[in-house]
Amino acid sequence: MRTIHVELPDGARRELAAGSTALSLAEAISRRLATEATGARINGQVLSLTTPLRDGDNVEILTFDSREGQDVFRHSAAHLMASAIMRLRPCTKLAIGPAIEDGFYYDIETEPPLTEEDFPAIEQEMERIVHEDSPFLRHEVSKKKAIEFFTERQDPYKLELIEGLEDGTITYYQHGEFVDLCRGPHLPSTGRIRAFKLLSLAGAYWRGDEHRQMLQRVYGTAFPSKKDLDEHLHRLAEAEKRDHRRLGKQLDLFSFHSAGPGFPFFHPKGMIVLNELLQFWREEHRKRGYSEIRTPIVLDQALWQQSGHWDHYRENMYFTQIDERDFAIKPMNCPGAMLIYKTALRSYRDLPMRLAELGTVHRHEKSGVLHGLSRVRMFTQDDAHIFLTVDQIQDEVVSLIDFVASMYQVFGLEYTVELSTRPEKSIGTDEMWEHATTALRNALNVKGLTYKVNEGDGAFYGPKIDFHVRDSLKRSWQCATIQLDYGMPDKFELEYAGPDGAMHRPVIIHRVVYGAIERFLSILIEHFAGAFPTWLAPVQVVVIPVSDAYGDYAHSVARRLFELGLRVEADLSTESMKYKIRLAQTRQVPYMLIVGERERSAGAVAVRHRRKGDLGGMPLEEYIALLQNEVATRALDV
């Protein structure tokens, strides 16, 4: 029998019978791998397990542990859902149904529209199709044949997609009687989709065009096991409870209004949290030799053309005219820092020059993507622009990594790191890019950090390091970034006098730690479920008298704390003590001080913590010392 040899990711070679598929390879490696496999990366391309292998192929078997493996699994689940809907409603028209992070969706046109009450029947039909264990079969036809086929099926959305494809081979997938235009890849059969759940409905314009047909988007998720699905659904329920939009209203932090869609209004309590974040930011930057600057929100349009932002952000910028000149509201802070650098002759002795700015920027986001504080049209970036020599890059990046780590540690945020390298379209010489990328890689290695490399995903002006924080629900959010820039110094003709007396170009590091402060706040609200650490809490203490007779003492305790700069309220309302305690806990106030005759006589307080409950009585001054230390050290409430 003729044989072929394939190479595995670790360099090992496997001998297989000619005609073997990727699934055959998985079975040859181990029965468990064959069971868990969802797809295969063959010579760099993600394909179905049923793909025949050729001699010399490089093959990696994918499982649900990888994003690509999840996408194969969930795209197959999207087809499973669509086929169930078509069985129940044969006149439904299908648009697109991709895998997305943590799930999948399918855009459909059906009458009457689906409601969530239809979900159980659809899921029941999906179960039947799973039990049928129908293979996902790939078919290749010419474009002409594909048009004839989907014309006969009266599929207008598929026909429009086909018309937009280049002439050549068109692929569609079939399981049972269900056929769908699709590039794939898919699982070997429907029987492998063991656990799924339909989640929600939304509206979606065909091809994202608000002038086109409004379709229904059916969201779902799928996992290899019911245990995995149940854990995910639990996380979703917990995430809903922690939704910063709901908590923002409950805690009276911020609001949105039709007078300014996408523009947040911060209430007094929200401003307290924001200002504490900014105070912490300023303290840490001062320690590290940064100088804070402030640049205008409105600048001449020509500046944005010079900086290059015009080419990349013009469609999302706001404009105005002043004295018949065209101006733009800034979408970025960078050009302002460049102009400040150019106000004086700089020497190599001035470098690194670290300019930090809490700059408010505006970007026009489409209304459909606005989402509380995490996607807004006005936000503040905690920018820094560091001007330095090429030889200073590695040391500066090492210190920046330490800086980010120290900031995130205060919030109890874990993170992962990614290094993104030169994209296809970029500026600068090969030597520049090699030096810059090596400097970033060396800095990460010096710190002993594990990191993922995103080949070709750097900025057009330089490589970058991105930090993805993980919140208490293990969700990932890209926040801090360290970006090297060789382009803007050229665009603005920045120079410094070197030790040789000649003028040289500096390099710029663009850097944020929080990122967009509003978005970072939304992450913290959900990370802490609204229960901010005491140093961040809008109200740190509520003093509660056991009866009206002790209102004066409660007021004097609150006055003492207030004079020391602590955020305190005395609840002197006519409600019962139990109600007042419950209200304070609902508002996530860290401490409640209960005072009655015993406390008044002893100059003491009975301390109650929102999570730990009754902590007992103690002298007022002793409690104050403990509270002040907790605030001063920015301790986490654990």
Side-chain angles (χ1 to χ4, degrees):
M1 182 184 295
R2 194 169 66 85
T3 61
I4 61 172
H5 291 84
V6 297
E7 185 176 346
L8 303 183
D10 62 0
R13 287 170 59 82
R14 281 272 181 168
E15 183 178 353
L16 299 168
S20 293
T21 64
L23 182 58
S24 306
L25 172 62
E27 291 168 341
I29 295 172
S30 79
R31 182 179 300 175
R32 179 175 178 179
L33 179 61
T35 301
E36 295 179 352
T38 61
R41 183 182 286 108
I42 303 173
N43 303 323
Q45 186 178 1
V46 178
L47 298 169
S48 299
L49 287 166
T50 51
T51 303
L53 300 178
R54 297 171 300 180
D55 190 53
D57 280 347
N58 185 289
V59 186
E60 177 187 1
I61 302 300
L62 300 174
T63 67
F64 200 81
D65 291 335
S66 68
R67 177 59 192 267
E68 296 94 334
Q70 291 172 15
D71 285 350
V72 173
F73 189 94
R74 288 175 171 148
H75 185 44
S76 301
H79 277 227
L80 173 68
M81 179 182 73
S83 63
I85 292 172
M86 290 296 293
R87 280 190 180 182
L88 297 172
R89 296 191 176 195
C91 293
T92 297
K93 304 300 181 188
L94 301 177
I96 58 171
I100 56 175
E101 186 173 3
D102 290 334
F104 58 88
Y105 69 79
Y106 217 113
D107 288 346
I108 66 170
E109 180 187 338
T110 190
E111 288 294 338
L114 289 178
T115 69
E116 293 192 8
E117 285 70 37
D118 294 309
F119 285 0
I122 297 171
E123 289 172 342
Q124 195 171 44
E125 194 62 41
M126 290 170 71
E127 291 281 5
R128 291 193 188 96
I129 299 171
V130 168
H131 289 308
E132 292 168 9
D133 197 21
S134 300
F136 283 96
L137 303 174
R138 185 174 190 267
H139 299 278
E140 296 184 358
V141 295
S142 68
K143 183 174 179 178
K144 180 182 177 183
K145 287 288 187 184
I147 290 173
E148 291 174 357
F149 181 78
F150 285 99
T151 298
E152 184 180 341
R153 293 173 60 88
Q154 298 182 338
D155 276 338
Y157 301 111
K158 302 299 180 182
L159 282 169
E160 184 175 331
L161 292 172
I162 294 169
E163 292 287 359
L165 298 175
E166 294 181 5
D167 292 340
T169 301
I170 305 293
T171 62
Y172 64 86
Y173 275 80
Q174 178 180 3
H175 66 268
E177 78 285 1
F178 179 77
V179 177
D180 199 5
L181 176 73
C182 183
R183 285 194 300 266
H186 285 285
L187 295 170
S189 69
T190 59
R192 290 195 172 222
I193 309 172
R194 302 182 184 93
F196 50 82
K197 182 72 176 174
L198 302 192
L199 300 174
S200 62
L201 291 164
Y205 290 110
W206 170 232
R207 312 200 86 166
D209 185 343
E210 61 191 63
H211 302 294
R212 303 292 300 275
Q213 175 74 23
M214 171 65 82
L215 304 173
Q216 275 197 296
R217 180 164 291 178
V218 190
Y219 284 98
T221 191
F223 285 84
S225 72
K226 188 175 186 304
K227 177 176 177 290
D228 292 334
L229 174 63
D230 288 344
E231 289 176 354
H232 176 73
L233 295 177
H234 173 73
R235 286 195 299 271
L236 287 181
E238 187 64 25
E240 187 173 350
K241 287 192 294 185
R242 292 168 178 257
D243 189 316
H244 76 277
R245 296 168 297 177
R246 184 180 68 82
L247 289 173
K249 183 176 182 180
Q250 177 184 316
L251 302 176
D252 195 24
L253 301 177
F254 61 87
S255 59
F256 288 88
H257 301 273
S258 59
F263 298 92
F265 290 68
F266 282 95
H267 299 196
K269 288 183 172 61
M271 284 305 301
I272 288 171
V273 182
L274 274 182
N275 285 332
E276 287 294 334
L277 289 173
L278 300 186
Q279 176 63 24
F280 174 47
W281 184 90
R282 286 190 165 104
E283 287 176 14
E284 295 302 308
H285 280 74
R286 182 175 176 275
K287 290 177 189 175
R288 292 168 174 81
Y290 285 79
S291 299
E292 187 173 351
I293 62 172
R294 181 180 177 185
T295 63
I297 290 178
V298 179
L299 291 165
D300 193 303
Q301 180 176 299
L303 184 71
W304 304 104
Q305 293 167 331
Q306 180 183 359
S307 69
H309 290 97
W310 182 260
D311 296 329
H312 299 278
Y313 287 96
R314 178 175 58 213
E315 308 241 335
N316 297 96
M317 292 170 69
Y318 296 108
F319 303 95
T320 188
Q321 275 202 337
I322 303 173
D323 296 334
E324 299 183 356
R325 285 173 60 191
D326 292 324
F327 284 77
I329 299 173
K330 66 178 179 180
M332 291 276 196
N333 297 306
C334 319
M338 306 304 117
L339 296 183
I340 288 178
Y341 181 92
K342 284 175 69 74
T343 57
L345 176 63
R346 310 295 177 181
S347 161
Y348 71 95
R349 293 187 179 89
D350 300 320
L351 307 182
M353 180 178 177
R354 305 180 183 97
L355 300 181
E357 179 175 16
L358 294 164
T360 299
V361 300
H362 293 72
R363 297 181 193 171
H364 179 66
E365 301 281 4
K366 290 186 177 180
S367 59
V369 301
L370 298 175
H371 185 82
L373 294 180
S374 60
R375 195 71 177 264
V376 289
R377 288 171 172 159
M378 179 192 77
F379 54 94
T380 301
Q381 287 185 308
D382 66 317
D383 264 322
H385 293 92
I386 304 167
F387 303 84
L388 68 169
T389 69
V390 171
D391 293 337
Q392 292 171 330
I393 292 173
Q394 183 173 316
D395 288 344
E396 189 68 17
V397 172
V398 167
S399 71
L400 286 172
I401 292 170
D402 287 338
F403 191 0
V404 172
S406 69
M407 293 277 282
Y408 287 172
Q409 185 177 26
V410 170
F411 302 102
L413 292 169
E414 300 174 353
Y415 59 87
T416 57
V417 180
E418 295 183 357
L419 171 65
S420 298
T421 61
R422 187 176 190 174
E424 188 175 332
K425 293 183 178 180
S426 59
I427 61 175
T429 65
D430 291 343
E431 184 181 2
M432 279 181 179
W433 276 87
E434 180 61 31
H435 186 282
T437 306
T438 299
L440 295 187
R441 185 178 284 110
N442 287 347
L444 290 167
N445 293 336
V446 165
K447 299 307 303 177
L449 291 175
T450 301
Y451 58 92
K452 174 185 173 183
V453 178
N454 287 333
E455 295 290 352
D457 201 38
F460 71 91
Y461 48 74
K464 61 175 182 168
I465 296 172
D466 289 328
F467 295 77
H468 296 257
V469 303
R470 288 197 173 275
D471 65 15
S472 56
L473 296 182
K474 304 304 178 186
R475 296 172 299 181
S476 181
W477 309 87
Q478 197 273 306
C479 290
T481 188
I482 301 169
Q483 302 179 345
L484 281 182
D485 183 358
Y486 287 96
M488 210 163 283
D490 279 336
K491 290 177 182 293
F492 283 90
E493 298 180 340
L494 305 185
E495 294 181 322
Y496 68 90
D500 58 358
M503 303 306 292
H504 301 270
R505 283 268 186 271
V507 179
I508 298 172
I509 294 178
H510 302 255
R511 186 242 65 192
V512 294
V513 178
Y514 292 151
I517 293 172
E518 291 78 359
R519 181 170 173 271
F520 192 77
L521 175 57
S522 76
I523 294 168
L524 292 184
I525 292 171
E526 298 188 4
H527 177 62
F528 293 119
F532 294 113
T534 303
W535 70 276
L536 266 181
V539 178
Q540 296 165 326
V541 181
V542 170
V543 186
I544 301 173
V546 298
S547 71
D548 291 347
Y550 305 102
D552 287 346
Y553 181 60
H555 180 74
S556 68
V557 169
R559 170 58 59 180
R560 172 72 176 137
L561 295 174
F562 177 79
E563 289 171 349
L564 293 170
L566 297 163
R567 298 188 289 275
V568 59
E569 293 178 358
D571 189 342
L572 305 180
S573 68
T574 58
E575 301 289 350
S576 69
M577 183 182 72
K578 286 185 177 179
Y579 177 86
K580 293 175 183 179
I581 290 173
R582 191 162 60 249
L583 178 62
Q585 288 178 322
T586 299
R587 294 169 59 203
Q588 298 291 3
V589 178
Y591 289 100
M592 291 141 275
L593 304 184
I594 315 301
V595 296
E597 180 57 39
R598 183 191 312 166
E599 289 75 27
R600 182 172 67 180
S601 300
V605 290
V607 183
R608 184 177 185 84
H609 187 270
R610 65 185 167 198
R611 285 206 183 102
K612 301 170 188 174
D614 186 7
L615 301 182
M618 65 180 70
L620 176 58
E621 295 305 316
E622 180 182 334
Y623 170 73
I624 287 172
L626 291 173
L627 182 61
Q628 285 178 319
N629 180 67
E630 184 175 341
V631 171
T633 59
R634 294 190 171 95
L636 280 171
D637 180 6
V638 293

